[in-house]
Amino acid sequence: QVQLVESGGGLVQPGGSLRLSCAASGTIFSINTMGWYRQAPGKQRELVAFTTSGGSTNYAESVKGRFTISRDNYKNTVYLQMNSLKPEDTAVYYCYLVELSQYWGQGTQVTVSS
């Protein structure tokens, strides 16, 4: 089994920054993809960004140029640096990992408000 533990969420003013972290532990064979989804109240869960084992990255159009995903393969950890945050970025952010199966974190709340 694989466990994912997220951290770094919180309350920030518009224009501010946050950095989310997601550390994977347990029986890990070979991680394929790690990334982040988010879900705002009353909305469907949407893909924010992901990174593959080959190092490629992909972002939702709404966060391009503001968010950066990175990965530390030695620590089995993925990060999401979020800059120029907007109120519409408010959501619960979920980390996920794909290897033999897909695993999810418990979610961390990000609130962007003045």
Side-chain angles (χ1 to χ4, degrees):
Q1 276 287 23
V2 175
Q3 296 81 42
L4 300 176
V5 178
E6 299 137 334
S7 60
L11 172 64
V12 64
Q13 292 187 341
S17 299
L18 282 175
R19 188 192 193 209
L20 304 183
S21 299
C22 174
S25 62
T27 304
I28 299 171
F29 295 98
S30 178
I31 298 175
N32 183 351
T33 301
M34 294 187 78
W36 297 87
Y37 275 77
R38 67 185 180 186
Q39 188 165 21
K43 294 188 177 181
Q44 289 189 326
R45 189 175 293 194
E46 65 168 340
L47 179 63
V48 177
F50 68 86
T51 176
T52 68
S53 57
S56 62
T57 58
N58 193 283
Y59 297 90
E61 285 295 326
S62 59
V63 306
K64 278 183 179 179
R66 300 188 298 122
F67 291 11
T68 303
I69 190 169
S70 60
R71 179 169 162 176
D72 185 331
N73 291 323
Y74 293 103
K75 295 182 179 179
N76 290 328
T77 299
V78 66
Y79 306 95
L80 186 67
Q81 178 66 43
M82 305 185 294
N83 299 329
S84 302
L85 282 160
K86 304 175 181 179
E88 51 263 44
D89 294 317
T90 295
V92 178
Y93 284 70
Y94 297 91
C95 167
Y96 77 97
L97 175 158
V98 178
E99 49 136 38
L100 299 180
S101 299
Q102 184 160 337
Y103 300 91
W104 293 91
Q106 79 286 357
T108 185
Q109 177 69 47
V110 172
T111 303
V112 185
S113 175
S114 56

